[in-house]
Amino acid sequence: MSNISPIPAGFNTLTPYIIVDGAEAAIKLYQKALGAEVLSVHKMPNGKVLNAQLRIGNSILMLNDEWPDYGAIGPKKIGNTAVTIHIYVDDVDALWKRALDAGFEPSMPLGNQPWGDRYGSLKDPFGHSWSMATHVEDVSEEEMAKRMASMG
């Protein structure tokens, strides 16, 4: 019987894996903007990042450079992204400021939302969408429906 865990230590069941045009620059940006800790970076002989693992909070984000020959291209080449990476933190206002200062652009302003989160969304310079929040209030389904209806 094997002692190998089917999910590597430090990983959760779901792990975002993104493709960027400029993985080394993205790693530096995520360190500055999100407090990412670099766990590992594996490069090919040509210097391109084949795989990088970063810890953000209690989760891991994996990323690599674009590999167009294998269909691996980032959102800027596609023209948009259909995925948003969401981050819950203790102080969303501080993380929001940090992300803006590092070059993220807001797509939905930070504010208190009907579902009980202080929430906003942004895009990073590589075209990836991020949302961030601090849960500030437990809201019943009925109250949330009432608040959503009043939004018009």
Side-chain angles (χ1 to χ4, degrees), residues 17-139:
Y17 198 120
I18 61 175
I19 299 164
V20 294
D21 181 8
E24 286 190 53
I27 291 167
K28 288 178 182 157
L29 174 72
Y30 300 151
Q31 286 177 296
K32 180 178 180 182
L34 306 172
E37 170 193 354
V38 177
L39 301 178
S40 66
V41 178
H42 300 103
K43 295 181 181 179
M44 295 298 289
N46 66 3
K48 288 178 69 172
V49 174
L50 179 63
N51 177 273
Q53 296 178 5
L54 311 178
R55 181 179 315 282
I56 300 173
N58 64 359
S59 299
I60 293 177
L61 172 70
M62 295 170 50
L63 63 90
N64 62 263
D65 270 307
E66 292 184 333
W67 297 91
D69 292 349
Y70 298 96
I73 55 176
K76 283 198 162 187
K77 292 225 176 51
I78 294 168
N80 203 351
T81 181
V83 175
T84 297
I85 302 171
H86 184 71
I87 303 173
Y88 271 113
V89 294
D90 291 335
D91 184 355
V92 71
D93 290 274
L95 184 61
W96 183 266
K97 182 180 181 331
R98 184 176 181 168
L100 290 177
D101 289 348
F104 282 54
E105 294 289 330
S107 47
M108 178 181 170
L110 181 63
N112 291 342
Q113 302 300 325
W115 56 87
D117 286 355
R118 184 156 175 76
Y119 170 97
S121 62
L122 314 97
K123 277 210 176 186
D124 72 25
F126 301 95
H128 288 283
S129 293
W130 297 80
S131 61
M132 50 186 62
T134 297
H135 187 69
V136 294
E137 176 186 16
D138 290 331
V139 179

